[in-house]
Amino acid sequence: MLTAEQVIATQKANVETALDLASKAFEGVEKLVELNMQVAKATMGDAAETAKAAIAAKDPQELLSLQAGLLQPAAEKVAAYSRHLYDIAASTNAELTKAMEAQLGDAQKKFMASVDTAVKNAPAGTENAVALVKSAMAAANNAYESVHKAAKQAADVAEANFQAMTNTAVKAAQAAPKAARRTAA
């Protein structure tokens, strides 16, 4: 049986965990806002310089050359932004997952301790029921571990695919100005 003190301690721990998780989530949002502000400032500066260069162009050929020269840096900036965005999301997710796993592990230990206490105080003849409960707990733990491993593998595959896609996009952007120069010549 849980005592009033145990219930209060559990509730206090749950509130602290919720506040910690909210804090970690807000840190991720702060990083995202900061990144977007940096991108907005850089984009405004780049747009101003591009407009000045376009106005200063003396002929259509120079304007086309300017346009072709903008493609690669733009693709690289988009790739860098995507990488930063992914890093923020991944690190925030990792921190939240770590905190949740710690909380789950603690809850699991407490539940197993109460099951063990119940087993010790169980009346005679309930050994089969106790064995069934322990077996169910072991099966649940194994299922959780399997799902956790599968989710981690899926996240690793998604990260590898994201990196490959980013690299492909940057390479394509680097090749585009060269192709544009060949057709213009």
Side-chain angles (χ1 to χ4, degrees), residues 74-94:
E76 289 172 355
K77 287 176 185 176
V78 167
Y81 174 79
S82 296
R83 274 190 229 113
H84 280 103
L85 188 63
Y86 179 82
D87 288 345
I88 290 169
S91 68
T92 300
N93 184 45

Side-chain angles (χ1 to χ4, degrees), residues 5-56:
E5 292 82 22
Q6 290 172 325
V7 171
I8 290 170
T10 300
Q11 290 301 324
K12 184 179 177 182
N14 288 342
V15 168
E16 288 175 4
T17 299
L19 292 174
D20 186 45
L21 291 174
S23 175
K24 290 180 186 321
F26 280 119
E27 287 173 12
V29 170
E30 284 177 340
K31 290 176 186 175
L32 183 60
V33 168
E34 183 180 330
L35 174 64
N36 285 334
M37 290 299 293
Q38 290 171 353
V39 168
K41 286 179 184 177
T43 300
M44 286 177 53
D46 291 348
E49 288 187 27
T50 300
K52 288 177 186 176
I55 291 170

Side-chain angles (χ1 to χ4, degrees), residues 1-182:
M1 264 301 141
L2 291 175
T3 65
E5 292 82 22
Q6 290 172 325
V7 171
I8 290 170
T10 300
Q11 290 301 324
K12 184 179 177 182
N14 288 342
V15 168
E16 288 175 4
T17 299
L19 292 174
D20 186 45
L21 291 174
S23 175
K24 290 180 186 321
F26 280 119
E27 287 173 12
V29 170
E30 284 177 340
K31 290 176 186 175
L32 183 60
V33 168
E34 183 180 330
L35 174 64
N36 285 334
M37 290 299 293
Q38 290 171 353
V39 168
K41 286 179 184 177
T43 300
M44 286 177 53
D46 291 348
E49 288 187 27
T50 300
K52 288 177 186 176
I55 291 170
K58 296 178 181 133
D59 58 30
Q61 186 66 26
E62 190 175 338
L63 197 56
L64 285 173
S65 176
L66 173 67
Q67 182 182 8
L70 293 175
L71 185 59
Q72 179 182 351
E76 289 172 355
K77 287 176 185 176
V78 167
Y81 174 79
S82 296
R83 274 190 229 113
H84 280 103
L85 188 63
Y86 179 82
D87 288 345
I88 290 169
S91 68
T92 300
N93 184 45
E95 288 181 28
L96 291 173
T97 300
K98 183 178 175 185
M100 290 300 293
E101 285 177 349
Q103 182 70 12
L104 181 63
D106 188 44
Q108 206 171 23
K109 285 178 189 174
K110 287 179 182 176
F111 182 75
M112 289 306 292
S114 41
V115 167
D116 287 341
T117 302
V119 166
K120 289 176 187 173
N121 298 325
T126 59
E127 293 82 14
N128 289 339
V130 169
L132 182 63
V133 169
K134 284 189 170 188
S135 175
M137 284 301 299
N141 285 339
N142 288 339
Y144 170 76
E145 289 297 323
S146 296
V147 168
H148 182 69
K149 286 178 184 176
K152 179 148 179 38
Q153 288 173 347
D156 291 344
V157 168
E159 182 175 359
N161 287 342
F162 177 79
Q163 293 298 333
M165 180 183 69
T166 302
N167 292 338
T168 301
V170 169
K171 287 177 185 174
Q174 289 171 344
K178 294 174 187 171
R181 280 187 235 129
R182 276 187 247 130

